[in-house]
Amino acid sequence: MSVAMRTRDPFKTTSPARRAEAAASYEALKQACATTSGKKIQWAVRAELVSDSPNHLWRLPASDSLAIVHPNADEAWALVRGARFLRQHQVAAIAPYFTDIITATDGQAVSFWHPCGKPSGDTSLSAWVTALTHRIDPEAAPWLREHDPFAGLLNGLDHAPLDDHVRAFLHERTAQLHEEWDHLDWPTPDTVIFGDRRMVPVHDDGVHIGLLLRRPLWRGHREWDRVAARRRSELLLGRHEDHRTYADTYLSYALEGQGPDHAHIAAWSGYRTVRDVIALTEVMDTVRRARLDKHARRLAAHRLACLRGIHPAPWNRGPR
């Protein structure tokens, strides 16, 4: 049997570093398929790399399923446990295909998931899923880690292809924002959050909608998720009416007496600090990937220029 991978634009692996990462991911996927119940090695046939960030997401046409290759077993278990937890609380999340994860010989771990449709452009669906998640009592999930956006934020900076003055700027900017973060006046109590840097993507296959969890859940403040959604229309190319739809839907699902203190999140005194921390997080994600190929380096340079005020918003008009 011939087993080979395919890739989909814009994720074609063109550089040696990117090809090596994809090959290692695919090898872990093959091992996982070969050790599942029934040894379903044929599932890896025509596997298609759909995304390589924040982890490797593979579509498996032979089984009509998805696989995520994680850097380690802890992250894999966090996603599987998080998805089950959301489903238990009536949040529309894509279900794991198996009850277990499989660890490859190189330490990478693989989880399998039921299929989902394309990401929906309907921002009300994202708001609905986010609002329902924010209504969950975090005491129901004592295993959740506290959200700390500064933990590991500058990992990889010393080895990134940057000038020394840019590294110094990132250190200074991080220290400044950390100081502001420590003095934020959070208007709402802790809850379960996604802690991502963007609006939560919800998938729609024409029959069902659901969230494919790609990052672990956190215990934190709902303002982070709300600011991440708002930033789409302020610094990126999202339309303002998209965010109005998001905000109206989100507020309509907030529990009476427990809703956000600020109907318009940008009116909150801590908005700018959280927005800037999210922006810095996104920049560092691109900086860590700058070693992969020329496109990744150009994108990192563009977003660094935006962060330093050399280029104005919108941030996603970087090199293609």
Side-chain angles (χ1 to χ4, degrees):
M1 177 185 299
S2 175
V3 179
M5 66 176 179
R6 301 188 303 173
T7 56
R8 177 195 302 173
D9 285 332
F11 301 104
K12 288 184 177 178
T13 54
T14 56
S15 70
R18 210 160 197 169
R19 283 197 298 270
E21 280 200 353
S25 174
Y26 184 64
E27 184 60 34
L29 174 64
K30 284 199 300 181
Q31 290 182 28
C33 291
T35 56
T36 59
S37 57
K39 296 186 177 180
K40 300 178 173 61
I41 182 60
Q42 71 274 13
W43 281 17
V45 176
R46 298 190 306 279
E48 186 176 351
L49 183 60
V50 178
S51 169
D52 61 355
S53 179
N55 37 40
H56 284 80
L57 174 65
W58 295 87
R59 188 175 70 86
L60 310 180
S63 64
D64 191 27
S65 64
L66 301 168
I68 299 178
V69 179
H70 311 265
N72 55 65
D74 287 344
E75 184 193 277
W77 276 119
L79 259 67
V80 170
R81 174 184 276 182
R84 291 173 180 161
F85 177 74
L86 291 178
R87 291 174 64 83
Q88 289 170 359
H89 286 81
Q90 310 305 309
V91 178
I94 305 300
Y97 202 101
F98 295 127
T99 58
D100 204 352
I101 64 167
I102 299 168
T103 303
T105 55
D106 64 354
Q108 295 188 94
V110 182
S111 58
F112 292 88
W113 302 82
H114 286 283
C116 60
K118 296 180 180 180
S120 173
D122 184 351
T123 60
S124 67
L125 297 180
S126 177
W128 171 61
V129 167
T130 304
L132 292 182
T133 300
H134 288 175
R135 290 165 61 168
I136 301 174
D137 183 355
E139 298 305 320
W143 40 268
L144 283 177
R145 290 183 294 170
E146 294 287 339
H147 182 232
D148 178 5
F150 295 94
L153 178 60
L154 296 182
N155 285 355
L157 178 58
D158 290 342
H159 303 290
L162 300 175
D163 294 335
D164 287 342
H165 71 276
V166 177
R167 288 194 183 89
F169 166 79
L170 287 170
H171 278 289
E172 293 169 3
R173 183 62 173 155
T174 300
Q176 174 192 352
L177 289 174
H178 206 321
E179 175 71 16
E180 295 178 15
W181 178 274
D182 288 341
H183 292 88
L184 283 177
D185 181 17
W186 297 99
T188 58
D190 282 0
T191 188
V192 180
I193 67 169
F194 292 105
D196 208 340
R197 63 176 189 266
R198 63 188 68 184
M199 189 178 293
V200 177
V202 177
H203 298 258
D204 186 354
D205 63 6
V207 178
H208 303 290
I209 63 171
L211 161 76
L212 179 64
L213 202 61
R214 297 285 301 277
R215 298 177 186 268
L217 298 172
W218 300 90
R219 178 186 180 122
H221 295 280
R222 68 189 70 192
E223 285 74 26
W224 176 280
D225 288 344
R226 295 187 66 207
V227 172
R230 174 67 177 82
R231 180 175 171 268
R232 168 185 168 123
S233 63
E234 181 177 1
L235 292 181
L236 303 179
L237 284 176
R239 298 178 300 173
H240 287 281
E241 54 266 34
D242 287 342
H243 185 263
R244 283 199 295 270
T245 300
Y246 178 97
D248 291 344
T249 304
Y250 179 90
L251 293 172
S252 71
Y253 280 95
L255 288 174
E256 184 177 353
Q258 298 183 31
D261 286 358
H262 298 281
H264 302 287
I265 189 63
W268 172 47
S269 62
Y271 170 78
R272 185 170 295 274
T273 294
V274 175
R275 185 205 65 186
D276 290 349
V277 174
I278 291 172
L280 179 61
T281 303
E282 183 171 77
V283 167
M284 281 306 305
D285 282 349
T286 62
V287 165
R288 277 187 288 272
R289 293 172 58 78
R291 61 180 176 78
L292 291 178
D293 54 34
K294 292 180 180 179
H295 174 77
R297 286 194 293 275
R298 288 197 300 266
L299 183 59
H302 172 77
R303 289 185 173 170
L304 278 165
C306 291
L307 185 68
R308 299 170 66 194
I310 298 172
H311 290 326
W315 284 43
N316 62 346
R317 280 190 181 150
R320 299 301 180 189

